[in-house]
Structure formats: C-alpha cells, structure tokens
Coordinates of all heavy atoms in Angstrom, one line a residue:
M1 N -31.3 78.4 2.2 CA -31.6 78.8 0.8 C -31.3 80.3 0.6 O -31.7 81.1 1.4 CB -33.1 78.6 0.5 CG -33.5 77.1 0.5 SD -33.3 76.4 -1.0 CE -33.9 74.7 -0.7
S2 N -30.7 80.6 -0.5 CA -30.6 82.0 -0.9 C -30.8 82.1 -2.4 O -30.7 81.1 -3.1 CB -29.2 82.5 -0.5 OG -28.2 81.7 -1.2
I3 N -31.2 83.3 -2.8 CA -31.5 83.5 -4.2 C -30.1 83.7 -5.0 O -29.3 84.5 -4.5 CB -32.4 84.7 -4.5 CG1 -33.7 84.4 -3.7 CG2 -32.6 84.9 -5.9 CD1 -34.5 83.2 -4.2
T4 N -30.0 83.0 -6.1 CA -28.8 83.1 -6.9 C -29.1 83.1 -8.3 O -30.3 83.0 -8.7 CB -27.8 82.0 -6.5 OG1 -26.6 82.2 -7.2 CG2 -28.3 80.6 -6.9
V5 N -28.1 83.1 -9.2 CA -28.4 83.0 -10.6 C -28.1 81.5 -11.0 O -27.1 80.9 -10.6 CB -27.4 83.9 -11.4 CG1 -27.5 83.6 -12.9 CG2 -27.8 85.4 -11.1
C6 N -29.0 80.9 -11.7 CA -28.8 79.6 -12.2 C -27.6 79.5 -13.1 O -27.6 80.3 -14.1 CB -30.1 79.1 -12.9 SG -29.9 77.5 -13.7
V7 N -26.7 78.7 -12.9 CA -25.4 78.6 -13.7 C -25.7 77.9 -15.0 O -24.9 78.0 -15.9 CB -24.3 77.9 -13.0 CG1 -23.8 78.7 -11.8 CG2 -24.7 76.5 -12.6
V8 N -26.9 77.3 -15.2 CA -27.2 76.7 -16.4 C -28.0 77.6 -17.4 O -27.6 77.7 -18.5 CB -28.0 75.4 -16.2 CG1 -28.5 74.7 -17.5 CG2 -27.2 74.4 -15.3
C9 N -29.0 78.2 -16.9 CA -29.9 79.0 -17.8 C -29.8 80.5 -17.5 O -30.3 81.3 -18.3 CB -31.3 78.6 -17.8 SG -32.2 79.0 -16.2
G10 N -29.2 81.0 -16.4 CA -29.1 82.4 -16.1 C -30.3 83.0 -15.5 O -30.3 84.2 -15.2
D11 N -31.4 82.3 -15.3 CA -32.5 82.8 -14.5 C -32.2 82.8 -13.0 O -31.2 82.2 -12.6 CB -33.7 81.9 -14.8 CG -34.8 82.6 -15.6 OD1 -34.7 83.8 -15.8 OD2 -35.7 81.9 -16.1
S12 N -33.1 83.4 -12.3 CA -32.9 83.3 -10.8 C -33.3 82.0 -10.3 O -34.3 81.4 -10.7 CB -33.7 84.5 -10.1 OG -35.0 84.3 -10.3
A13 N -32.5 81.4 -9.4 CA -32.7 80.1 -8.8 C -32.4 80.2 -7.3 O -32.0 81.2 -6.8 CB -31.8 79.1 -9.5
E14 N -32.8 79.1 -6.7 CA -32.4 79.0 -5.2 C -31.2 78.2 -5.1 O -31.0 77.2 -5.7 CB -33.6 78.3 -4.5 CG -34.8 79.2 -4.2 CD -35.9 78.4 -3.5 OE1 -35.6 77.4 -2.9 OE2 -37.0 78.8 -3.7
K15 N -30.3 78.7 -4.2 CA -29.1 78.0 -3.9 C -29.3 77.2 -2.6 O -29.6 77.8 -1.6 CB -27.9 78.9 -3.8 CG -26.6 78.2 -3.8 CD -25.5 79.2 -3.9 CE -24.1 78.6 -4.1 NZ -23.1 79.6 -4.4
A16 N -29.3 75.9 -2.7 CA -29.5 75.1 -1.5 C -28.1 75.0 -0.7 O -27.2 75.6 -1.1 CB -30.0 73.7 -1.8
Y17 N -28.1 74.1 0.3 CA -26.9 73.9 1.0 C -25.8 73.2 0.2 O -26.1 72.4 -0.6 CB -27.2 73.1 2.3 CG -28.2 73.8 3.2 CD1 -29.5 73.4 3.3 CD2 -27.7 74.9 4.0 CE1 -30.4 74.1 4.1 CE2 -28.6 75.6 4.8 CZ -29.9 75.2 4.9 OH -30.8 75.8 5.7
P18 N -24.6 73.6 0.5 CA -23.5 72.9 -0.2 C -23.4 71.5 0.4 O -23.5 71.3 1.6 CB -22.2 73.7 0.2 CG -22.6 74.5 1.3 CD -24.1 74.7 1.3
V19 N -23.2 70.5 -0.5 CA -23.0 69.1 -0.1 C -21.6 68.7 -0.5 O -21.4 68.5 -1.7 CB -24.1 68.2 -0.8 CG1 -23.9 66.8 -0.4 CG2 -25.5 68.7 -0.4
G20 N -20.7 68.5 0.4 CA -19.4 68.1 0.1 C -18.7 69.2 -0.7 O -18.8 70.3 -0.4
S21 N -18.2 68.8 -1.9 CA -17.6 69.8 -2.8 C -18.5 70.3 -3.8 O -18.1 70.9 -4.8 CB -16.3 69.2 -3.4 OG -16.7 68.1 -4.2
F22 N -19.9 70.0 -3.6 CA -20.9 70.4 -4.6 C -21.8 71.5 -4.0 O -22.1 71.5 -2.8 CB -21.7 69.2 -5.0 CG -20.9 68.3 -5.9 CD1 -20.1 67.3 -5.4 CD2 -21.1 68.3 -7.3 CE1 -19.4 66.5 -6.2 CE2 -20.4 67.5 -8.1 CZ -19.5 66.5 -7.6
D23 N -22.3 72.4 -4.9 CA -23.3 73.3 -4.6 C -24.6 72.9 -5.2 O -24.6 72.5 -6.4 CB -23.0 74.7 -5.1 CG -22.0 75.4 -4.1 OD1 -21.9 75.0 -3.0 OD2 -21.4 76.5 -4.5
E24 N -25.7 72.8 -4.5 CA -27.0 72.4 -5.1 C -27.8 73.7 -5.5 O -27.8 74.7 -4.8 CB -27.7 71.6 -4.1 CG -27.1 70.2 -3.8 CD -28.0 69.3 -3.1 OE1 -29.0 69.8 -2.5 OE2 -27.8 68.1 -3.0
F25 N -28.4 73.6 -6.6 CA -29.3 74.6 -7.1 C -30.7 74.1 -7.4 O -30.9 73.0 -7.7 CB -28.7 75.2 -8.4 CG -27.4 75.9 -8.3 CD1 -26.2 75.1 -8.4 CD2 -27.3 77.2 -8.1 CE1 -25.0 75.7 -8.3 CE2 -26.1 77.9 -8.0 CZ -24.9 77.1 -8.1
K26 N -31.7 75.0 -7.2 CA -33.1 74.7 -7.5 C -33.5 75.7 -8.5 O -33.7 76.9 -8.1 CB -33.9 74.7 -6.3 CG -34.4 73.3 -5.8 CD -35.3 73.4 -4.7 CE -35.3 72.1 -3.8 NZ -36.0 72.2 -2.6
C27 N -33.7 75.3 -9.7 CA -34.1 76.3 -10.7 C -35.5 75.9 -11.3 O -35.7 74.7 -11.6 CB -33.1 76.3 -11.8 SG -33.5 77.3 -13.3
P28 N -36.4 76.9 -11.5 CA -37.7 76.5 -12.1 C -37.6 76.0 -13.5 O -38.5 75.2 -13.9 CB -38.4 77.9 -12.1 CG -37.4 78.9 -11.9 CD -36.3 78.3 -11.2
N29 N -36.5 76.3 -14.2 CA -36.4 75.8 -15.6 C -35.6 74.5 -15.6 O -35.9 73.6 -16.4 CB -35.7 76.8 -16.5 CG -36.4 78.1 -16.5 OD1 -37.6 78.2 -16.5 ND2 -35.6 79.2 -16.4
C30 N -34.5 74.4 -14.8 CA -33.6 73.3 -14.9 C -33.8 72.2 -13.9 O -33.2 71.2 -14.0 CB -32.2 73.8 -14.9 SG -31.9 75.2 -15.9
G31 N -34.6 72.5 -12.9 CA -34.8 71.5 -11.8 C -33.8 71.6 -10.7 O -33.1 72.6 -10.5
Y32 N -33.7 70.5 -10.0 CA -32.8 70.4 -8.8 C -31.5 69.7 -9.3 O -31.5 68.6 -9.8 CB -33.5 69.6 -7.8 CG -33.0 69.7 -6.4 CD1 -33.7 69.1 -5.3 CD2 -31.9 70.4 -6.0 CE1 -33.3 69.1 -4.0 CE2 -31.4 70.5 -4.7 CZ -32.1 69.8 -3.7 OH -31.7 69.9 -2.4
Y33 N -30.4 70.4 -9.1 CA -29.1 69.8 -9.6 C -28.0 70.3 -8.7 O -28.1 71.3 -8.0 CB -28.9 70.1 -11.1 CG -28.7 71.6 -11.3 CD1 -27.4 72.2 -11.3 CD2 -29.8 72.4 -11.5 CE1 -27.2 73.5 -11.6 CE2 -29.6 73.8 -11.8 CZ -28.3 74.3 -11.8 OH -28.1 75.7 -12.0
S34 N -26.8 69.6 -8.8 CA -25.7 70.1 -8.1 C -24.5 70.2 -9.1 O -24.4 69.5 -10.1 CB -25.3 69.1 -6.9 OG -24.9 67.9 -7.4
V35 N -23.6 71.1 -8.7 CA -22.4 71.3 -9.6 C -21.2 71.4 -8.7 O -21.2 72.0 -7.6 CB -22.5 72.7 -10.3 CG1 -21.4 72.8 -11.3 CG2 -23.9 72.8 -11.0
D36 N -20.1 70.8 -9.2 CA -18.8 70.8 -8.5 C -18.4 72.3 -8.4 O -18.3 73.0 -9.3 CB -17.8 70.1 -9.4 CG -16.5 69.9 -8.7 OD1 -16.0 70.8 -8.0 OD2 -15.9 68.8 -8.8
R37 N -18.2 72.7 -7.1 CA -18.0 74.1 -6.8 C -16.7 74.6 -7.5 O -16.6 75.7 -8.0 CB -17.9 74.4 -5.3 CG -17.9 75.8 -4.9 CD -17.9 75.9 -3.4 NE -18.9 75.1 -2.8 CZ -18.7 74.1 -1.9 NH1 -17.4 73.8 -1.6 NH2 -19.6 73.4 -1.4
Q38 N -15.7 73.8 -7.5 CA -14.4 74.1 -8.1 C -14.6 74.4 -9.7 O -13.9 75.2 -10.2 CB -13.4 73.0 -7.9 CG -11.9 73.5 -8.1 CD -10.9 72.4 -7.9 OE1 -11.2 71.4 -7.2 NE2 -9.8 72.5 -8.5
L39 N -15.4 73.5 -10.2 CA -15.7 73.7 -11.7 C -16.3 75.1 -12.0 O -15.9 75.7 -12.9 CB -16.7 72.6 -12.1 CG -17.2 72.6 -13.5 CD1 -16.0 72.4 -14.5 CD2 -18.2 71.5 -13.8
I40 N -17.3 75.5 -11.1 CA -17.9 76.8 -11.3 C -16.8 77.9 -11.2 O -16.8 78.8 -12.1 CB -19.0 77.1 -10.3 CG1 -20.1 76.0 -10.4 CG2 -19.6 78.5 -10.4 CD1 -21.2 76.1 -9.3
D41 N -15.9 77.8 -10.2 CA -14.9 78.8 -10.1 C -14.0 78.8 -11.3 O -13.6 79.9 -11.8 CB -14.0 78.5 -8.8 CG -14.8 78.8 -7.5 OD1 -15.8 79.5 -7.6 OD2 -14.4 78.3 -6.5
E42 N -13.6 77.6 -11.8 CA -12.7 77.6 -12.9 C -13.4 78.1 -14.2 O -12.7 78.8 -15.0 CB -12.3 76.1 -13.2 CG -11.3 75.6 -12.1 CD -11.0 74.1 -12.2 OE1 -11.5 73.5 -13.2 OE2 -10.4 73.6 -11.3
M43 N -14.7 77.8 -14.3 CA -15.4 78.3 -15.5 C -15.5 79.9 -15.5 O -15.3 80.5 -16.5 CB -16.8 77.7 -15.6 CG -16.8 76.3 -16.0 SD -18.4 75.5 -15.9 CE -19.3 76.4 -17.1
E44 N -15.7 80.4 -14.3 CA -15.8 81.9 -14.2 C -14.5 82.5 -14.5 O -14.4 83.5 -15.2 CB -16.2 82.2 -12.7 CG -17.7 82.3 -12.6 CD -18.1 82.6 -11.1 OE1 -17.3 83.0 -10.3 OE2 -19.3 82.4 -10.8
A45 N -13.4 81.9 -14.0 CA -12.1 82.4 -14.3 C -11.7 82.4 -15.8 O -11.0 83.2 -16.3 CB -11.0 81.7 -13.5
A46 N -12.3 81.4 -16.5 CA -11.9 81.1 -17.9 C -13.0 81.8 -18.8 O -12.9 81.6 -20.0 CB -11.8 79.6 -18.2
D47 N -14.0 82.5 -18.2 CA -15.0 83.1 -19.0 C -15.8 82.1 -19.8 O -16.1 82.3 -21.0 CB -14.4 84.1 -19.9 CG -15.3 85.4 -20.0 OD1 -16.2 85.5 -19.1 OD2 -15.1 86.2 -20.9
Q48 N -16.2 81.0 -19.1 CA -16.9 79.9 -19.8 C -18.3 79.8 -19.1 O -18.5 80.1 -18.0 CB -16.2 78.6 -19.7 CG -14.9 78.5 -20.4 CD -14.1 77.3 -20.1 OE1 -14.1 76.8 -19.0 NE2 -13.4 76.8 -21.1
V49 N -19.3 79.3 -19.9 CA -20.6 79.1 -19.4 C -21.1 77.7 -19.8 O -20.6 77.1 -20.7 CB -21.6 80.2 -19.8 CG1 -21.3 81.5 -19.3 CG2 -21.6 80.2 -21.4
F50 N -22.2 77.3 -19.2 CA -22.8 76.0 -19.6 C -23.6 76.3 -20.8 O -24.3 77.3 -21.0 CB -23.7 75.5 -18.5 CG -22.9 74.8 -17.4 CD1 -23.0 75.4 -16.1 CD2 -22.2 73.7 -17.6 CE1 -22.3 74.9 -15.1 CE2 -21.5 73.1 -16.5 CZ -21.5 73.7 -15.3
D51 N -23.6 75.3 -21.8 CA -24.6 75.4 -22.9 C -25.9 75.0 -22.3 O -26.2 73.9 -21.9 CB -24.1 74.3 -23.9 CG -25.0 74.3 -25.2 OD1 -26.2 74.1 -25.0 OD2 -24.5 74.6 -26.3
T52 N -26.8 76.0 -22.3 CA -28.1 75.8 -21.6 C -28.9 74.6 -22.1 O -29.3 73.8 -21.3 CB -29.0 77.1 -21.7 OG1 -28.2 78.2 -21.2 CG2 -30.3 77.0 -20.9
E53 N -29.1 74.5 -23.4 CA -29.9 73.5 -23.9 C -29.3 72.1 -23.6 O -30.0 71.2 -23.1 CB -30.0 73.7 -25.4 CG -31.3 73.1 -26.0 CD -31.5 73.5 -27.5 OE1 -31.4 74.7 -27.8 OE2 -31.6 72.6 -28.3
R54 N -28.0 71.9 -23.9 CA -27.4 70.6 -23.7 C -27.3 70.3 -22.2 O -27.5 69.1 -21.9 CB -25.9 70.7 -24.2 CG -25.8 70.1 -25.6 CD -24.4 70.0 -26.0 NE -24.2 70.8 -27.2 CZ -23.0 71.4 -27.5 NH1 -22.0 71.2 -26.8 NH2 -22.9 72.1 -28.6
T55 N -27.1 71.2 -21.4 CA -27.0 70.9 -19.9 C -28.4 70.6 -19.4 O -28.5 69.7 -18.6 CB -26.4 72.1 -19.2 OG1 -25.2 72.5 -19.8 CG2 -26.1 71.8 -17.7
Q56 N -29.4 71.3 -19.8 CA -30.8 70.9 -19.3 C -31.1 69.5 -19.8 O -31.8 68.8 -19.0 CB -31.8 71.9 -19.9 CG -31.8 73.3 -19.2 CD -32.8 74.3 -19.7 OE1 -33.2 74.2 -20.9 NE2 -33.1 75.3 -18.9
Q57 N -30.7 69.2 -21.0 CA -31.0 67.8 -21.5 C -30.2 66.8 -20.6 O -30.8 65.8 -20.3 CB -30.6 67.7 -22.9 CG -31.2 66.6 -23.7 CD -31.3 66.9 -25.2 OE1 -30.5 67.6 -25.7 NE2 -32.3 66.3 -25.8
Y58 N -29.0 67.1 -20.4 CA -28.2 66.2 -19.5 C -28.8 66.0 -18.2 O -28.9 64.9 -17.7 CB -26.8 66.9 -19.3 CG -26.0 66.2 -18.3 CD1 -25.2 65.0 -18.5 CD2 -25.9 66.7 -17.0 CE1 -24.5 64.4 -17.5 CE2 -25.2 66.1 -16.0 CZ -24.5 65.0 -16.2 OH -23.8 64.4 -15.2
L59 N -29.3 67.1 -17.6 CA -29.9 67.0 -16.2 C -31.2 66.2 -16.3 O -31.5 65.4 -15.4 CB -30.2 68.4 -15.7 CG -29.0 69.2 -15.3 CD1 -29.4 70.7 -15.0 CD2 -28.2 68.6 -14.2
M60 N -32.0 66.3 -17.4 CA -33.2 65.6 -17.5 C -32.9 64.1 -17.6 O -33.6 63.3 -17.0 CB -33.9 66.1 -18.8 CG -35.4 66.1 -18.7 SD -36.2 67.3 -19.8 CE -35.4 66.9 -21.4
I61 N -31.9 63.8 -18.4 CA -31.6 62.3 -18.6 C -31.0 61.7 -17.3 O -31.3 60.6 -17.0 CB -30.5 62.2 -19.7 CG1 -31.1 62.6 -21.1 CG2 -29.9 60.8 -19.8 CD1 -30.1 62.9 -22.2
H62 N -30.3 62.5 -16.5 CA -29.6 61.9 -15.4 C -30.5 62.1 -14.1 O -30.0 61.7 -13.0 CB -28.3 62.5 -15.2 CG -27.3 62.1 -16.2 ND1 -27.3 62.6 -17.5 CD2 -26.3 61.1 -16.2 CE1 -26.3 62.0 -18.2 NE2 -25.8 61.1 -17.4
S63 N -31.6 62.7 -14.2 CA -32.5 62.8 -13.0 C -33.1 61.5 -12.7 O -33.7 60.8 -13.5 CB -33.6 63.9 -13.4 OG -34.2 64.2 -12.2
R64 N -33.0 61.1 -11.4 CA -33.6 59.9 -10.9 C -34.4 60.3 -9.6 O -34.0 61.2 -8.9 CB -32.5 58.9 -10.5 CG -31.6 58.5 -11.6 CD -32.2 57.3 -12.4 NE -31.2 56.9 -13.4 CZ -31.1 57.5 -14.6 NH1 -31.8 58.5 -14.8 NH2 -30.2 57.0 -15.5
P65 N -35.5 59.6 -9.4 CA -36.3 59.8 -8.2 C -35.4 59.8 -6.9 O -34.6 58.8 -6.7 CB -37.3 58.7 -8.1 CG -37.4 58.3 -9.6 CD -36.1 58.5 -10.2
G66 N -35.4 60.8 -6.1 CA -34.7 60.8 -4.9 C -33.2 61.0 -5.0 O -32.4 60.9 -4.1
Q67 N -32.8 61.4 -6.2 CA -31.4 61.6 -6.4 C -31.2 62.9 -7.2 O -31.9 63.1 -8.2 CB -30.8 60.4 -7.2 CG -29.3 60.2 -6.9 CD -28.8 59.0 -7.7 OE1 -29.4 58.0 -7.9 NE2 -27.6 59.2 -8.2
V68 N -30.2 63.7 -6.8 CA -30.0 65.0 -7.5 C -28.9 64.8 -8.5 O -27.8 64.3 -8.2 CB -29.5 66.1 -6.5 CG1 -29.2 67.4 -7.1 CG2 -30.6 66.2 -5.4
P69 N -29.2 65.1 -9.8 CA -28.1 64.9 -10.8 C -26.9 65.9 -10.6 O -27.2 67.1 -10.2 CB -28.8 65.2 -12.1 CG -30.0 66.0 -11.7 CD -30.4 65.6 -10.3
A70 N -25.7 65.4 -10.7 CA -24.5 66.2 -10.4 C -23.8 66.5 -11.7 O -23.7 65.6 -12.6 CB -23.6 65.5 -9.5
I71 N -23.3 67.7 -11.8 CA -22.5 68.1 -12.9 C -21.0 68.1 -12.5 O -20.6 68.9 -11.6 CB -22.9 69.5 -13.5 CG1 -24.4 69.4 -13.9 CG2 -22.0 69.8 -14.7 CD1 -24.9 70.8 -14.4
T72 N -20.2 67.3 -13.0 CA -18.8 67.2 -12.7 C -17.9 67.6 -13.9 O -18.5 67.7 -15.0 CB -18.4 65.8 -12.3 OG1 -18.6 64.9 -13.4 CG2 -19.2 65.3 -11.1
R73 N -16.7 67.9 -13.7 CA -15.8 68.2 -14.8 C -15.8 67.1 -15.9 O -15.8 67.4 -17.1 CB -14.4 68.4 -14.2 CG -13.2 68.5 -15.2 CD -13.3 69.6 -16.2 NE -12.9 70.9 -15.5 CZ -12.9 72.1 -16.2 NH1 -13.3 72.2 -17.4 NH2 -12.5 73.2 -15.6
D74 N -15.7 65.9 -15.5 CA -15.7 64.8 -16.4 C -17.0 64.8 -17.3 O -16.9 64.5 -18.5 CB -15.6 63.4 -15.7 CG -14.2 63.1 -15.2 OD1 -13.3 63.9 -15.6 OD2 -14.0 62.1 -14.5
E75 N -18.1 65.0 -16.7 CA -19.4 65.0 -17.4 C -19.5 66.2 -18.4 O -20.0 66.0 -19.5 CB -20.6 65.1 -16.5 CG -20.7 63.9 -15.5 CD -21.1 62.6 -16.2 OE1 -21.3 62.6 -17.4 OE2 -21.1 61.6 -15.5
T76 N -18.9 67.3 -18.0 CA -19.0 68.5 -18.9 C -18.1 68.2 -20.2 O -18.4 68.6 -21.3 CB -18.5 69.8 -18.3 OG1 -17.1 69.6 -17.9 CG2 -19.3 70.2 -17.1
T77 N -17.0 67.4 -19.9 CA -16.2 67.0 -21.1 C -16.9 66.0 -21.9 O -16.9 66.1 -23.2 CB -14.8 66.5 -20.5 OG1 -14.3 67.4 -19.7 CG2 -13.9 66.2 -21.7
N78 N -17.4 64.9 -21.3 CA -18.1 63.9 -22.0 C -19.2 64.3 -22.8 O -19.5 63.8 -23.9 CB -18.6 62.8 -21.0 CG -17.4 62.0 -20.3 OD1 -16.3 62.1 -20.8 ND2 -17.8 61.4 -19.2
H79 N -20.0 65.3 -22.3 CA -21.2 65.7 -23.0 C -21.1 67.1 -23.6 O -22.1 67.7 -24.1 CB -22.4 65.7 -22.0 CG -22.7 64.4 -21.4 ND1 -23.4 63.5 -22.0 CD2 -22.2 63.8 -20.3 CE1 -23.5 62.4 -21.3 NE2 -22.8 62.5 -20.2
Q80 N -19.9 67.7 -23.6 CA -19.6 69.0 -24.2 C -20.6 70.0 -23.7 O -21.3 70.7 -24.5 CB -19.7 68.9 -25.8 CG -18.6 68.0 -26.3 CD -18.7 67.8 -27.8 OE1 -19.7 67.4 -28.3 NE2 -17.6 68.2 -28.5
L81 N -20.6 70.2 -22.4 CA -21.6 71.1 -21.8 C -21.1 72.5 -21.7 O -21.9 73.4 -21.4 CB -22.0 70.6 -20.4 CG -22.6 69.1 -20.4 CD1 -23.0 68.8 -18.9 CD2 -23.8 69.0 -21.3
I82 N -19.8 72.7 -21.9 CA -19.2 74.0 -21.6 C -18.9 74.7 -22.9 O -18.4 74.2 -23.9 CB -17.9 73.9 -20.8 CG1 -18.3 73.5 -19.4 CG2 -17.2 75.3 -20.7 CD1 -17.1 73.3 -18.5
V83 N -19.3 76.0 -23.0 CA -19.0 76.8 -24.2 C -18.4 78.1 -23.7 O -18.5 78.5 -22.6 CB -20.3 77.1 -25.0 CG1 -20.8 75.9 -25.7 CG2 -21.3 77.8 -24.2
E84 N -17.7 78.8 -24.7 CA -17.1 80.1 -24.3 C -18.2 81.1 -24.2 O -19.1 81.1 -24.9 CB -16.1 80.5 -25.5 CG -14.9 79.6 -25.7 CD -14.0 79.5 -24.5 OE1 -13.8 80.5 -23.9 OE2 -13.5 78.4 -24.2
S85 N -18.0 82.0 -23.2 CA -19.0 83.0 -23.0 C -18.9 84.0 -24.1 O -17.8 84.4 -24.6 CB -18.7 83.7 -21.7 OG -19.5 84.8 -21.5
T86 N -20.1 84.5 -24.6 CA -20.0 85.5 -25.7 C -20.4 86.8 -25.3 O -21.2 87.0 -24.4 CB -21.0 85.0 -26.8 OG1 -22.3 84.7 -26.3 CG2 -20.5 83.9 -27.6
Ligands
LIG1 ZN1 -31.8 77.2 -14.7

C-alpha cells in the first residue's frame, strides 16, 4: 500500500497492489475500485479526468460483495465518465 491521489475525486487514497493490467485504489470517498492502468496514462497524456459524481455513482452501482468494481475504457465511454480537465 502506498498513499496516492484518488483518480476519481482527487482526495488522498491508498494504492493497493496492481492486479493484471489494473491498479487498485482504496479511497474513503469512492471506496475500493480498480482502473485500467493504460487508461490512466492515456487520460493524463490527454489532460482528461474522471467526472467525480458520475464515476462515484458508477462505482456504487457496480460494487458487489467480494468484488472490486473495475473502470475500463469501454465503461468510461458507455457511461461518459471522462471529462476534459479544466
Ligand atoms: Zn476518491
């Protein structure tokens, strides 16, 4: 575990171990979730961020007991989770 910035809300969060091509985060606001690492890199390069409210809602809906909700490129497109950084 290391301290990092939550990619969803920007608060400080814990970064758990990478699982496959995903990085897991534990945020007091957004919960336990994983994000495609390549997606994070691409978003940073393109100056894009997650829409905090929509992404938190997405994570809440997709959270299941014993399962970490994952954010993939397809899901960000389907749910319009990415916005331009201001
Ligand atoms: Zn968060």
Side-chain angles (χ1 to χ4, degrees):
M1 292 273 183
S2 59
I3 300 299
T4 186
V5 171
C6 174
V7 292
V8 175
C9 73
D11 247 348
S12 62
E14 283 178 23
K15 193 172 190 173
Y17 297 105
V19 178
S21 59
F22 287 81
D23 277 344
E24 291 191 345
F25 296 86
K26 250 184 207 173
C27 172
N29 304 318
C30 311
Y32 197 175
Y33 63 93
S34 67
V35 188
D36 190 319
R37 194 176 309 119
Q38 199 185 335
L39 175 63
I40 298 176
D41 289 344
E42 286 171 8
M43 285 172 67
E44 271 175 14
D47 221 12
Q48 293 171 327
V49 293
F50 287 112
D51 182 300
T52 302
E53 207 173 306
R54 261 185 244 155
T55 308
Q56 284 178 339
Q57 198 153 30
Y58 166 83
L59 293 173
M60 216 154 53
I61 292 165
H62 289 80
S63 190
R64 300 271 182 281
Q67 210 182 318
V68 180
I71 302 174
T72 62
R73 165 67 75 184
D74 282 352
E75 298 292 358
T76 61
T77 307
N78 292 343
H79 299 275
Q80 296 178 303
L81 303 182
I82 292 177
V83 291
E84 298 296 321
S85 175
T86 48

